[in-house]
Amino acid sequence: EADIYQTPRYLVIGTGKKITLECSQTMGHDKMYWYQQDPGMELHLIHYSYGVNSTEKGDLSSESTVSRIRTEHFPLTLESARPSHTSQYLCASSEWRVSGNTIYFGEGSWLTVV
Amino acid sequence: SQKIEQNSEALNIQEGKTATLTCNYTNYSPAYLQWYRQDPGRGPVFLLLIRENEKEKRKERLKVTFDTTLKQSLFHITASQPADSATYLCALDRTDKLIFGTGTRLQVFP
């Protein structure tokens, strides 16, 4: 069982509001990720981090921003939510090993912007 | 750009049979390939990893093969059970990040 937690699990919010999706992991992993996934569709990497003060944009362009001030914490923020941001957001972490880079996912945050 | 293809059509099989899922990739030579299981509304869960120098990997009822010449991985579930019903994703590494296929939905009926 992976020790990675996301809050809120479900959020319905009005257009223009600022939201922050929280993600925490207790495994001490250096690498953390945010993926976006629409129902029945593939996972898209939107942000990742190699460690404290490191953040990079992923393959899918996103208007969200992230920060990594502490190893265990990797929040995602939308300054002004729009209906097009409605999706599931999955946080993940990993620790590099010789055997490979296995990723552990949280349960996801379902965001609906009305 | 790298492309991962999994059968988008759902795979329906009877309980007790072997399920075989396919993952094909192009324009890349990954050092390893992974398989994940995803249940509806949940995050993916890691199942197996196979490296480029390994032809086959097993874990209980699961078996993965990796053919770097064909650029293909096969994922087998033997003696399938209704509890195996889920979407199965393959993922390959790309410069320390994983990219995922769209997944194949498996439905095992009694």
Side-chain angles (χ1 to χ4, degrees), chain B residues 56-72:
Chain B
E56 182 179 298
K57 199 85 169 274
R58 291 176 185 262
K59 180 183 176 183
E60 298 173 350
R61 294 184 296 111
L62 309 180
K63 185 179 84 171
V64 172
T65 63
F66 193 11
D67 189 325
T68 54
T69 302
L70 291 177
K71 293 187 182 294
Q72 181 182 77

Side-chain angles (χ1 to χ4, degrees), chain B residues 14-69:
Chain B
Q14 192 171 24
E15 182 177 9
K17 301 291 186 183
T18 297
T20 299
L21 287 71
T22 304
C23 175
N24 296 295
Y25 59 92
T26 59
N27 298 330
Y28 195 61
S29 297
Y32 55 87
L33 188 146
Q34 303 185 25
W35 283 89
Y36 288 75
R37 167 182 173 145
Q38 186 173 26
D39 291 290
R42 312 289 291 272
V45 175
F46 170 75
L47 295 174
L48 278 169
L49 179 152
I50 185 166
R51 284 185 270 183
E52 60 179 341
N53 60 349
E54 296 176 313
K55 295 296 183 186
E56 182 179 298
K57 199 85 169 274
R58 291 176 185 262
K59 180 183 176 183
E60 298 173 350
R61 294 184 296 111
L62 309 180
K63 185 179 84 171
V64 172
T65 63
F66 193 11
D67 189 325
T68 54
T69 302

Side-chain angles (χ1 to χ4, degrees), chain B residues 91-103:
Chain B
L92 54 86
D93 73 299
R94 189 198 66 190
T95 56
D96 205 27
K97 297 186 292 295
L98 281 184
I99 54 174
F100 287 84
T102 53

Side-chain angles (χ1 to χ4, degrees), chain A residues 1 9-10 31 33 35 37 40-43 45 48 50 57-59 88 90 94 96 98-108 110, chain B residues 4 31-32 34 36 38-51 57 87 89 93-103:
Chain A
E1 194 81 13
R9 285 293 318 275
Y10 303 94
K31 299 180 182 62
Y33 314 81
Y35 286 84
Q37 185 181 35
M41 304 298 285
E42 62 194 288
L43 287 156
L45 180 66
Y48 60 99
Y50 288 128
K57 289 196 176 293
D59 302 316
Q88 182 185 27
L90 288 155
S94 71
W96 173 258
V98 175
S99 56
N101 189 31
T102 301
I103 290 186
Y104 298 91
F105 284 87
E107 293 290 343
W110 285 94
Chain B
I4 304 174
Y32 55 87
Q34 303 185 25
Y36 288 75
Q38 186 173 26
D39 291 290
R42 312 289 291 272
V45 175
F46 170 75
L47 295 174
L48 278 169
L49 179 152
I50 185 166
R51 284 185 270 183
K57 199 85 169 274
T87 296
L89 310 169
D93 73 299
R94 189 198 66 190
T95 56
D96 205 27
K97 297 186 292 295
L98 281 184
I99 54 174
F100 287 84
T102 53

